[in-house]
Structure formats: structure tokens, C-alpha cells
Amino acid sequence: MNILIIGGGGREHAIARNVYNSPNHPNVFCAPGNAGTATLGANVDTKANDIAGLVEFAKRKDIELTIVGPEQPLADGIVDAFTEAGLRIFGPTRKAARLEADKAYAKQLMTEARIPTATSRTFTRVDHAREYLATRDEAQVVKAAGLAAGKGVVVCDDPADALLAAERMLVDGEFGDAGRAIIVEEKLLGQEISIHAITDGSAVHILESSQDHKRALDNDQGPNTGGMGAYSPFTPNLRGKSVADFYTRVENEILLPTLDTLRRHDIEYKGVIYLGLMVTAGGPQVLEYNCRFGDPETQVLFARLKTDFVDIAEACIDGRLDEITIEYDPRPAVCVVMASGGYPGAFEINKPISGIAEAEADDNVVVYHAGTTMHGDRLVTSGGRVLGVTALGTDIATATRGAYDAVGRINFDGAHFRTDIARSAL
Ligand code: AMP
Ligand code: GLY
């Protein structure tokens, strides 16, 4: 069986490892992949956004299943294009992916479905945003409505800063087209949790919980990044309520109404739906929807996932997800991202990387590649997030120690990582 994975980050390396270990022994192709995925199969020199090129490749190579990692090709309609070409692909259609690609649409849908989320306004004109912000004296969050690689959100404790952020997006075009419309919403207080669910349009499977660390620096300081580390599972402070009650609320107040409302708009959602939630005193509220797996959350989820993801993806495409049982390693996992110095701002690449084999000498450690490539026989950095150093352990403390011991064995010039991943769980 030939399987194509689209994307080239740590998330895709984690998916590729699971697929590579499938009992069906598939041939794994990754477009464009990284130095990690190259060890599991063949990297394909086609960009994740080149939908026509990917369709052509999948036909030529008799690809029987395609799994999409990143949001951009989903938002651009890769699932529609593959399906029209008679190819099997795991992920939501362009219309369904709008839940992530257009935050103004997502907010509208949440209002229609009465889904708990921060009160918000959408603006395309800066004078309207200015008038509105003049009436606010509490903290505000300003978001580019379109896709901005996880960097289009500014949390402003002072509404004056919110106006500056709004001006940068609407006037200076900081995020290009993605910032032509902005959302201004109240800042919610609580603990953040990442909830991933898989749905075939009717059945919904909520996966194990995880928590991401989005800020670049320790103690949640510095700019937002794509994610500097993650751990799984994560149980928020539920103020005396049970975990079961929490998941029932997530399913009944958020997931099912989302899918029902989409269906009322003639949109069937298939694939991964990822909820970024704030667990507030009043219960879970939606910060954002994503139409794909999180990165680096996937690294900790897939380090624990025991079920063959090929089976899950096939069942999802065929609408028989209710037949699947999903099993995990009960041990927690912690992933520490090693990034290039300067990320998420400017950074240098082509730095030689050493120590991965030494780090993986510990059976509980797996080093997922993200921004890596081979220069001849030398492994070098090629992106902002370079590696997702992931460890399993009997408890979070042990897994955290395992991950940081492994990080200590790996070297590249300018390597930057947070030293407090999973600390809040201890
Ligand atoms: P998003 O891309 O919408 O998830 O936003 C990125 C990050 O900004 C989130 O992970 C939160 O840390 C923060 N954030 C977004 N919206 C809010 C909000 N309404 N209140 C507080 N923090 C938020
Ligand atoms: N880790 C956050 C995301 O993938 O959106």
C-alpha cells in the first residue's frame, strides 16, 4: 500500500512513524517531508500547497491513502481536488476547513450554534475598530481572521495596545490578506487545553488531551509561536467537577453543535477537528478551531497512540469510525521543541545537528524532526522549529526529565528551547 503524508514538520514525522509501523507495511511518501521522514520512506519534492502537483503525484504513484498535516492545503481545497480525482484522502473539505481558515466565519457559526466563546466583534475598517476599542477598558485579544501560521493573535492587557495591533493588521497589512478582517474579543481567563477529535461526519472520537506551550520563552513570556512544547494527558482544574462531566460538556456544548450547525449548512466535516479551549470558571470556551492535528500536540499524542492510524483514517473516510477502538500507552508524554535561535523572528539555518542517536538510545525517547534536512551526509537545521524531543515516562515528572535529558544530548548552534515545558502539570 502506498501512503502519502502531506507536510514537513514534527507533526508529519510523528504521523509518518505511526504509518510506517502499520501492520500493512505501507510505502510511506512525504511531501515535502524532512530528514526524519526520509528515513521512513521517500520524500517528495513537491510543496504541501501545490495541490495540482500532489494530485498528479498521487495518481502516478498509485497512492491509496493521503493524510494531510497542515491547514493551508486543506483551506485551499486539497481534499476536494483529491476526491474529484478519485483519490482517497483524510481531512476536511475546503468548506469545512473554513472553520480554521476564517475566524470571522467560525465566530458566526459559534454564535448561531450558541457555543461558549469570548464575546467578539469583527472589523474590516480601522475607524470602526478604534471607536469600539475606545469604549473598552478591559483586556482585549486581536486576531487576524485568516491563516497566519499561529502568529496572528495578539493578547493585549491594555486596550490601547489592542488598537496598535488592529492598526498593524488593518492599516500596515502585517498579515497581508489574512489580516484584512480582524476579530476583537474579550480576554478569557483560565487554563488552556487542546482537544482533538476525529469525526467521520457522524461518529466523534475525542482523543487524549494535551497542552501546548505557545509562547517563545519560559513562564509564557515572549511572542506566540507555533508551539514550543506539549504534554499529554492534561487535566485542567475542574473546580470539583469530574473529568467525565468536562468531556460531556465539550462533546454536547461544543463538538456536536459545531458539526450539527455545519450540517445544517450542508457541510459534512470529516477528519480531525481540534479545539483550542480555555477552561474558565464557567466551563470550557472555544478560543479557536483547527481543521487538522496540532503541532507539537501530535508529537505527544502519537508517542502514546497504539492504534494503527491507517485504520483510523480509512474508517473515517468510509464513515465507519464507530467500529474503531483507539488505544494509547497509558504513560504520559512530554515534547520539548528545540528551535533555531531567534524563532519566531529571523533565524539562521544550515547549522549541523548532533546527538540525536545518543538521545534516542533511551527507549522512552523519540526525536521527531521538523526543520531538518540533509546536506550530503550531514544533518542540518532548515527551519524555525527544528526538533520535537519527546519522552514517555511513568508520570509527567519522569517524562519531563527524560525529555530534558535527551535535549541535553542534542546540539546545534543557537539552539533555543523552553526549560519549563510541563512544569505547570507538576
Ligand atoms: P488562537 O490562535 O486563537 O488559539 O490564539 C492563540 C493563543 O492566543 C491562544 O492559544 C491563547 O493563548 C491566546 N488567546 C486567543 N484568544 C484568547 C482569548 N479570548 N482570551 C485569552 N487568550 C486568548
Ligand atoms: N500547537 C498549536 C497548533 O498547532 O495550532
Side-chain angles (χ1 to χ4, degrees), residues 103 107 117-119 140-141 143 150-155 185-189 192 212 214-215 224-225 274 276 278 286-290:
K103 286 182 196 282
K107 278 288 185 186
T117 185
T119 308
Q140 299 289 322
V141 182
K143 305 183 174 187
K151 288 151 202 147
V153 174
V154 192
V155 180
E185 68 182 30
E186 58 172 336
K187 179 181 172 184
L188 297 172
L189 297 178
E192 275 187 70
D212 180 20
K214 289 205 168 130
R215 301 293 196 98
N224 261 320
T225 69
Y274 155 168
M278 189 71 89
V286 178
L287 295 176
E288 64 166 343
Y289 291 104
N290 292 310

Side-chain angles (χ1 to χ4, degrees), residues 11 59 69 109-110 144 150 223 238 263 301 303 335 342-343 362 409:
R11 165 182 52 209
K59 280 187 176 163
L109 186 118
M110 283 189 271
L238 297 170
R263 216 173 287 122
L301 285 180
C335 170
Y343 171 80
D362 178 343
R409 298 195 178 97

Side-chain angles (χ1 to χ4, degrees), residues 61 97 119 212 223 231-232 255 258 295 340 346 370 382:
K61 281 284 180 184
T119 308
D212 180 20
Y231 61 98
S232 167
L255 276 171
T258 301
D295 189 340
S340 296
S382 64

Side-chain angles (χ1 to χ4, degrees), residues 13-238:
H13 189 200
I15 296 171
R17 271 182 76 118
N18 176 292
V19 168
Y20 176 81
N21 290 320
S22 164
N24 305 317
H25 301 295
N27 301 311
V28 181
F29 296 87
C30 209
N34 55 40
T37 62
T39 65
L40 304 171
N43 283 348
V44 183
D45 189 16
T46 305
K47 295 232 160 54
N49 298 346
D50 177 3
I51 295 179
L54 291 167
V55 167
E56 189 276 322
F57 174 83
K59 280 187 176 163
R60 181 157 49 81
K61 281 284 180 184
D62 290 325
I63 299 290
E64 287 154 88
L65 172 66
T66 297
I67 299 166
V68 188
E71 60 277 15
Q72 190 70 55
L74 292 166
D76 292 343
I78 193 168
V79 169
D80 311 63
F82 269 60
T83 308
E84 271 163 36
L87 294 160
R88 285 166 69 76
I89 185 163
F90 173 81
T93 59
R94 184 179 59 79
K95 278 187 179 162
R98 206 173 154 205
L99 217 45
E100 170 169 3
D102 181 354
K103 286 182 196 282
Y105 171 74
K107 278 288 185 186
Q108 241 171 40
L109 186 118
M110 283 189 271
T111 307
E112 181 182 336
R114 297 171 187 273
I115 289 169
T117 185
T119 308
S120 75
R121 300 277 295 266
T122 300
F123 299 102
T124 52
R125 285 180 49 175
V126 76
D127 50 334
H128 292 168
R130 189 178 296 121
E131 266 167 40
Y132 175 71
L133 284 166
T135 67
R136 305 281 97 190
D137 50 18
E138 69 284 359
Q140 299 289 322
V141 182
V142 181
K143 305 183 174 187
L147 292 180
K151 288 151 202 147
V153 174
V154 192
V155 180
C156 306
D157 288 318
D158 180 345
D161 294 336
L163 179 56
L164 295 177
E167 285 171 346
R168 283 202 306 277
M169 293 183 198
L170 291 175
V171 182
D172 306 339
E174 183 174 18
F175 298 107
D177 280 350
R180 267 186 207 286
I182 63 167
I183 317 296
V184 177
E185 68 182 30
E186 58 172 336
K187 179 181 172 184
L188 297 172
L189 297 178
Q191 287 176 296
E192 275 187 70
I193 182 170
S194 300
I195 299 285
H196 289 80
I198 297 197
T199 174
D200 62 7
S202 53
V204 179
H205 257 294
I206 299 184
L207 305 183
E208 285 283 273
S209 58
S210 55
Q211 191 178 48
D212 180 20
H213 297 64
K214 289 205 168 130
R215 301 293 196 98
L217 307 174
D218 282 8
N219 301 314
D220 293 331
Q221 301 296 305
N224 261 320
T225 69
M228 292 299 293
Y231 61 98
S232 167
F234 169 61
T235 305
N237 175 1
L238 297 170

Side-chain angles (χ1 to χ4, degrees), residues 297-312:
E297 290 96 323
T298 304
Q299 288 83 314
V300 287
L301 285 180
F302 276 63
R304 298 186 58 212
L305 180 66
K306 285 182 153 176
T307 308
D308 180 4
F309 189 70
V310 176
D311 282 348
I312 300 176

